Amino acid sequence: MTTESPAQIVQGLFPLLAEGKTGEAAALFADSVSFSIPHPPGIPWVPEVGSAEDMRTFFELLRTHVRPKEFDLRQVIADGDDVVLIGRMVSEVRKTGRDIDTAFALHTTVEDGLITRYHLYEDSYAVAKAYFDD
């Protein structure tokens, strides 16, 4: 069992992703994960996710299709096992060269040292506008 707080565990995810360590990032997740990212149909980097291995696939797809440019974590709210991160991120869609510039909220839950919930809320209109050619 880990001595890290849920907030520390969740915040440890971002440096791993920034370094492209998708396997190590996925290892922070439990065998069963509640995953949600409301998004327009046809966005290729948001697969069906239910496990740590699926999270690895998600992180790899995200890296394939989107290039991170800015990540500004503005607030971390922790209450027991729940951690909510609020911030802003800018990413370039590789297909179009357009930026997704959006505020976000990420609701996570950590149980027994592993992340069991990953619910990301962002501007889905900005995602669609940056990805689709029309």
Side-chain angles (χ1 to χ4, degrees), residues 75-102:
Q75 190 172 10
V76 177
I77 304 163
D79 184 12
D81 292 340
D82 288 305
V83 180
V84 175
L85 300 112
I86 298 170
R88 179 181 160 268
M89 58 186 162
V90 180
S91 305
E92 178 185 311
V93 176
R94 295 181 193 274
K95 173 186 163 194
T96 64
R98 293 186 207 123
D99 285 349
I100 303 167
D101 186 342
T102 182

Side-chain angles (χ1 to χ4, degrees), residues 1 6 12 14 30 32 36 45 47 50 64 67 92-93 101 104 116 125:
M1 188 155 163
F14 302 106
S32 180
S36 176
W45 59 83
T64 298
R67 184 178 69 83
E92 178 185 311
V93 176
D101 186 342
F104 73 89
T116 60
Y125 178 73

Side-chain angles (χ1 to χ4, degrees), residues 43-46 60-67 92-96 131:
I43 298 297
W45 59 83
V46 185
E60 289 172 354
L61 285 169
L62 189 61
R63 235 177 134 66
T64 298
H65 293 280
V66 177
R67 184 178 69 83
E92 178 185 311
V93 176
R94 295 181 193 274
K95 173 186 163 194
T96 64
Y131 179 74

